Amino acid sequence: MATATPKVAILGAGIAGATVAVALKTARANAELIVVDRNFESQSPGALLDILYGLKKPDSVTFSTLQAFQKLGVQIIRGEVLRVDGDKRSIYTAVRTFTPDYIIIALGMEPHLSPFDGANTLPVLASLKDAATLAERLLSSGAGDYLIISPATDTCLHLLPIEAALAVHHLLVRAGKRKNARIRIISPEPLPFSRWDPNFSNAISAYLAKHEIEWLGNMQPASVKGNILTTRLGAEIPFQFAFLIPPVQVPRLFQHSTMLDASGWVQANSYLFNSRGDRVYAIGACAGFILPSSPKDQPPLLFPKWPQNAYDQAVILADNLVKEWKRDIKLVRYSGSAESSMRVGPSSFASISGDFLSQQPPAISLKFPGLLPFGSRASPIPDLRKILS
Ligand SMILES: Cc1cc2nc3c(=O)[nH]c(=O)nc-3n(C[C@H](O)[C@H](O)[C@H](O)COP(=O)(O)OP(=O)(O)OC[C@H]3O[C@@H](n4cnc5c(N)ncnc54)[C@H](O)[C@@H]3O)c2cc1C
């Protein structure tokens, strides 16, 4: 340990960063905590779909976490993190540069809004405001042919395209417009999550088919112009109403950084979260965590970037830091057991869980409400407000 009272910089005040700060405070760790974020306005990760379903308005799900952090007794730096140098353990922000004793990188992920030509002319589903605009446009549209464009090759179980297609289905049913409407998802994946557990992939495909949602697989969008999407192989797909589910990527400050692993996400040990540099850790959505079963000759399969996992990783990391400071060498290794919920209706969720590190390849269990008993958690998505209260 560097000093009697270690200085710990937590980069990111989302689920992972907030949980680590609360867990260290709850454990009464003798540490000075500094939380850095560009803004302390937050919302629950599931809020995007609440808005798309028209159940909530953006203002009602946005709240300031500033007071909660102040009450917790942590120092706050409100500013952009510009660079992290793991080898020197230095942080460069818009307001100051410093070298703490520990760095915890919890900077999440961000949408890639221009993945192909003309993508920026499409409505997009990436923020609360987008969801509100999209909900309005969907309900007022007279379109019969809806296209949900998902250019991501799934590396982290990105569920949003499926959830968005089901939301379009339910919104159109509610508006009495579903009968003459066609809903299609266009994706480079042959089938949903085709590189994962085949039972999981088949169950999702069957659920989409049951709702008459078509999966246009093996198609990589190349451009969109007017009402025509052209794929890289030259297929032309006409639509009346299309929107983009952006692929997710590592926060911009890390692009071209030596902090990344082969997957293009922040390097992190899957079990103890050490990143590049001594006493530097990465947790939550920004971290890579390549699965042990990942095929060598294809893009790596990554541990899912779900909010519950960010929470679990933060709790374990905080616990291990406290142990280290007490010179207890029995560190806890992250089990890799992960779960999430997938929104399948205005107020219904499917539960998804798997054992991603110890079981290879991971078997993913999927429980749809009504078909099988629903998952055990009352609230399947961790709530930042509750974590900080
Ligand atoms: C478009 C999109 C939609 C999503 N929809 C859902 C959903 O409907 N349901 C669901 O369960 N999950 C959803 N997720 C996933 C969910 O948001 C993440 O799993 C979860 O937030 C991960 O927590 P985290 O703490 O790792 O990152 P975050 O909660 O993203 O926290 C990261 C924090 O870092 C800050 N930050 C980032 N870069 C910088 C910088 N350079 N300088 C300063 N601060 C910075 C951000 O402001 C943010 O507060 C979505 C993700 C995206 C990108």
Side-chain angles (χ1 to χ4, degrees):
M1 189 172 70
T3 53
T5 305
K7 192 183 272 196
V8 182
I10 301 170
L11 309 185
I15 296 283
T19 304
V20 102
V22 170
L24 288 174
K25 282 291 174 184
T26 308
R28 297 180 186 279
N30 181 26
E32 186 186 330
L33 306 186
I34 308 165
V35 176
V36 190
D37 204 305
R38 59 163 75 99
N39 74 60
F40 286 81
E41 289 289 305
S42 257
Q43 68 263 333
S44 153
L48 197 71
L49 287 150
D50 285 336
I51 310 239
L52 187 60
Y53 275 106
L55 301 173
K56 291 183 181 159
K57 296 275 174 229
D59 283 351
S60 70
V61 292
T62 309
F63 56 96
S64 166
T65 56
L66 203 57
Q67 268 193 335
F69 277 108
Q70 281 163 343
K71 222 167 122 194
L72 207 57
V74 303
Q75 284 181 53
I76 283 163
I77 298 180
R78 201 195 308 221
E80 186 78 15
V81 180
L82 301 175
R83 189 158 82 87
V84 180
D85 183 331
D87 296 326
K88 293 190 181 144
R89 212 183 317 108
S90 292
I91 298 162
Y92 304 80
T93 78
V95 285
R96 64 185 266 217
T97 298
F98 62 115
T99 303
D101 299 311
Y102 292 81
I103 297 181
I104 298 169
I105 304 170
L107 289 167
M109 55 189 171
E110 59 190 30
H112 179 16
L113 295 175
S114 315
F116 53 86
D117 274 0
N120 54 4
T121 62
L122 292 168
V124 64
L125 182 58
S127 70
L128 300 185
K129 212 169 140 223
D130 297 334
T133 313
L134 201 53
E136 260 173 43
R137 289 183 62 177
L138 277 167
L139 285 176
S140 61
S141 77
D145 204 343
Y146 295 83
L147 197 59
I148 293 142
I149 305 172
S150 169
T153 297
D154 178 65
T155 50
C156 54
L157 292 189
H158 185 37
L159 301 168
L160 201 51
I162 314 276
E163 292 173 307
L166 287 164
V168 174
H169 165 84
H170 286 287
L171 287 170
L172 294 178
V173 168
R174 202 164 70 194
K177 295 183 187 173
R178 180 63 177 105
K179 221 169 155 201
N180 301 318
R182 187 175 189 200
I183 305 174
R184 296 180 292 173
I185 303 174
I186 178 161
S187 165
E189 301 281 330
L191 289 169
F193 309 114
S194 53
R195 300 178 65 214
W196 296 85
D197 178 344
N199 292 330
F200 174 67
S201 173
N202 291 339
I204 299 261
S205 299
Y207 197 75
L208 289 176
K210 191 177 139 196
H211 291 81
E212 296 182 3
I213 296 168
E214 297 168 52
W215 184 269
L216 298 187
N218 289 319
M219 295 204 184
Q220 183 79 59
S223 67
V224 73
K225 209 168 178 195
N227 281 22
I228 306 272
L229 179 133
T230 307
T231 70
R232 282 202 194 156
L233 291 178
E236 293 195 341
I237 301 170
F239 59 84
Q240 285 163 297
F241 189 106
F243 65 95
L244 174 70
I245 306 291
V248 283
Q249 59 186 5
V250 75
R252 215 154 310 141
L253 78 144
F254 291 113
Q255 287 164 17
H256 316 296
S257 145
T258 53
M259 299 292 295
L260 301 188
D261 67 14
S263 71
W265 295 85
V266 179
Q267 185 184 319
N269 172 289
S270 311
Y271 301 97
L272 293 170
F273 319 125
N274 307 70
S275 184
R276 190 186 167 112
D278 185 26
R279 284 177 265 137
V280 180
Y281 300 87
I283 53 171
C286 66
F289 303 133
I290 298 175
L291 294 195
S293 59
S294 189
K296 297 277 171 280
D297 49 348
Q298 290 170 33
L301 284 176
L302 296 180
F303 194 81
K305 297 181 182 300
W306 295 332
Q308 185 63 43
N309 308 341
Y311 176 88
D312 292 343
Q313 290 157 14
V315 170
I316 288 176
L317 177 58
D319 195 24
N320 281 340
L321 289 178
V322 172
K323 283 191 169 142
E324 184 183 324
W325 297 331
K326 288 185 179 161
R327 299 182 194 280
D328 177 349
I329 53 164
K330 283 186 234 127
L331 298 187
V332 178
R333 279 161 64 90
Y334 182 43
S335 73
S337 148
E339 63 176 325
S340 186
S341 64
M342 182 172 70
R343 189 76 162 254
V344 295
S347 55
S348 47
F349 297 84
S351 85
I352 302 178
S353 57
D355 209 343
F356 288 82
L357 294 177
S358 58
Q359 191 178 337
Q360 299 305 320
I364 305 175
S365 141
L366 176 68
K367 294 176 182 174
F368 284 113
L371 297 178
L372 288 162
F374 184 44
S376 52
R377 276 173 201 274
S379 167
I381 299 175
D383 184 337
L384 195 54
R385 247 193 260 239
K386 275 198 197 134
I387 291 168
L388 283 166
S389 65

